[in-house]
Structure formats: C-alpha cells, structure tokens
Amino acid sequence: DDTLTLVAAWREREAAFPIGDRRPLNGAMQALRARGRPMRFDVLPATAPFLEEAQDLGVRSAVGVPIAVDGRVWG
C-alpha cells in the first residue's frame, strides 16, 4: 500500500521513536522495495519517512531491509 512501518530502531540514548507508525514511501524506499535487497543510506534523503525524528536524534545514516517471502518482496 506504498507505506513504510517502523518495526525496529536502535539508539544509545533514550528517545521516543514511533515503533509501529506508518508513513508514505518516498522514492528511495520505493527503489529499495524494487531492488529487493538491503540498502544503506549514508545520507538520509530529504523526504525520508521518519526524517524529523531521525534528525532530532542526530541520525546520519540508516539501513533499509525489505522482507521477502517465497522469493518475493512482501514488505
């Protein structure tokens, strides 16, 4: 449905990160889904889902991992 759901986050300090929240996919996340393999983002895209929360925490890079079921990207 062209949305992303945050299922995990790691952080060194306490912070409210919206696990379970859904956001629209941006172009980078659509490319990740189409590629079907994990991707590292050394620079967060300006339209990244959860960008505001990531910037508040000082996040500078991220990893996206699609979920595959029976060889097809499911999520």
Side-chain angles (χ1 to χ4, degrees):
D1 66 356
D2 284 340
T3 60
L4 175 142
T5 303
L6 185 65
V7 296
W10 178 87
R11 57 203 171 263
E12 289 183 13
R13 61 185 168 97
E14 186 61 34
F17 221 84
I19 303 298
D21 274 12
R22 299 170 65 95
R23 306 283 169 90
L25 292 179
N26 67 343
M29 296 297 107
Q30 289 171 338
L32 170 80
R33 180 178 60 191
R35 183 177 172 199
R37 296 192 325 254
M39 290 176 66
R40 179 184 168 109
F41 299 92
D42 292 317
V43 176
L44 298 178
T47 60
F50 304 102
L51 181 62
E52 185 176 315
E53 293 89 348
Q55 288 175 331
D56 287 347
L57 291 171
V59 173
R60 296 181 302 273
S61 63
V63 174
V65 181
I67 299 168
V69 176
D70 292 328
R72 296 180 58 208
V73 174
W74 174 79

